[in-house]
Structure formats: structure tokens, C-alpha cells
Amino acid sequence: MAIRTIVQDGDPILKKVCRPVTNFDDRLHTLLDDMKETLRDAQGYGLAGPQVGVMRRVFISLDEREAPLDENGEIREDWEAPMLEFINPEILENSQETETLYEGCLSFPGHNAAITRPAKVKVKAQDRNGNWFTLEGEGMLARCICHENNHLDGITIMDLAESFYEDDYPDGEE
């Protein structure tokens, strides 16, 4: 596995529509494994193919649906979330209920965009071996599925933002 470079704001690849994955081979498995390592290193929640320079319909997301909670109802700090893999995803359903929240993006560090998204989604996708599955996500997972799926269509938070706030310390320094 390797950490890949995350494509940043201004790169035209972020505005392009990705092609479907047709080969479910070792090359795809390596890409997915590298994306997982890259996401963990960047401490993000999701990552799409074009964000690592690959114009294929693939993204990954943390899966916190089964997260163990501490006595304060927060996710335990010692727990590492598994990752979900979505290949050739199709959003089948969006709930009528929506949430407007600020979200960031690894390709746009320091920018946080207020975006209205469905509170729940149902997605159909393939796994790394080409098997189809459906998954229902809500809350942060629903938001991440929509966010990463937008990347596959060349849509970014900069296109969807209702408003922004900027981090005072984009490099994480205080």
C-alpha cells in the first residue's frame, strides 16, 4: 500500500466526470488499498478516485454505523472505523428530510461549505470483486456518500456551497 497525493483546488481533474470501473482486478484492489491508507493519513472521512488522480467511479468512506461509544456517548478514541468501498455507485433514493451542515474536503483544505444534503440515502454499488450491494446510510454517512458521489460527476463543495467559513489555521497549526 502507498499514500497517494491528494489532488488540490485548481486541478481540472476535479471538474471532470469519471468513467465506470470495468476491470475488477489487482490494479483496482491496489487503488482501493492505497486510497484507504491515504484517507487514514489525511484523517478524512471519504475519498474519491479523482481526488487521487484516477478518473474512475470509485470512492471509499469511513463506516461509523457500529462505532462503540464511551460513557459520554462519543465514539471511543481507541476505535478505528472500518472503510466501505463503493464502485460504480448509483444513489437510488434520497430522503425528503434534509440537513444543512458545514463540510470540508481534502481537495479544498481550509474551506468549509454549508451544503444542504438528504438526511438519508440508499445507494447501489459494486464491491472490489464486482458484486452488487445496496446500502442505506444516514447522517454523516449519507452526507459522505453524496459528497464523494458528487466528485465522480465533477461537482465539488465549491459548486454547492450556500456559504463558507474559512479555517483560521488551514495547516492545523494553532
Side-chain angles (χ1 to χ4, degrees):
M1 292 194 301
I3 295 173
R4 297 197 180 202
T5 301
I6 297 174
V7 173
Q8 298 295 301
D9 184 10
D11 192 311
I13 198 170
L14 294 172
K15 302 301 293 173
K16 295 181 180 179
V17 176
C18 295
R19 298 179 307 274
V21 171
T22 55
N23 295 320
F24 295 82
D25 55 12
D26 288 342
R27 189 171 176 189
L28 174 65
H29 298 183
T30 298
L31 169 64
L32 291 165
D33 293 341
D34 288 355
M35 288 175 68
K36 288 177 182 179
E37 188 169 343
T38 302
L39 184 60
R40 287 209 195 283
D41 181 68
Q43 299 180 351
Y45 199 93
L47 189 66
Q51 290 181 278
V52 292
V54 178
M55 295 305 301
R56 295 290 182 197
R57 298 191 73 79
V58 57
F59 69 82
I60 60 172
S61 172
L62 294 182
D63 182 7
E64 295 180 337
R65 293 175 298 165
E66 306 281 330
L69 304 179
D70 64 18
E71 63 277 355
N72 298 318
E74 301 290 327
I75 295 175
R76 284 190 8 216
E77 288 186 27
D78 63 340
W79 182 72
E80 188 171 290
M83 292 197 197
L84 298 168
E85 301 172 344
F86 298 85
I87 298 140
N88 299 322
E90 301 171 37
I91 294 179
L92 302 175
E93 296 175 22
N94 291 314
S95 68
Q96 294 298 314
E97 180 186 351
T98 61
E99 298 175 318
T100 302
L101 298 170
Y102 282 96
E103 60 188 69
C105 180
L106 295 173
S107 291
F108 298 89
H111 299 285
N112 298 279
I115 298 176
T116 301
R117 298 204 187 266
K120 297 179 185 178
V121 298
K122 182 176 184 179
V123 63
K124 173 181 157 184
Q126 290 172 280
D127 66 18
R128 66 173 48 217
N129 299 311
N131 301 309
W132 287 97
F133 66 92
T134 58
L135 181 139
E136 293 184 24
E138 58 184 273
M140 188 63 172
L141 180 57
R143 180 166 292 277
C144 186
I145 289 169
C146 292
H147 177 114
E148 301 308 333
N149 199 62
N150 282 156
H151 273 299
L152 305 183
D153 293 323
I155 301 167
T156 71
I157 63 169
M158 305 307 269
D159 301 316
L160 300 174
E162 298 166 28
S163 63
F164 289 97
Y165 81 82
E166 309 299 324
D167 288 344
D168 291 335
Y169 306 100
D171 295 328
E173 298 175 8
E174 293 187 3

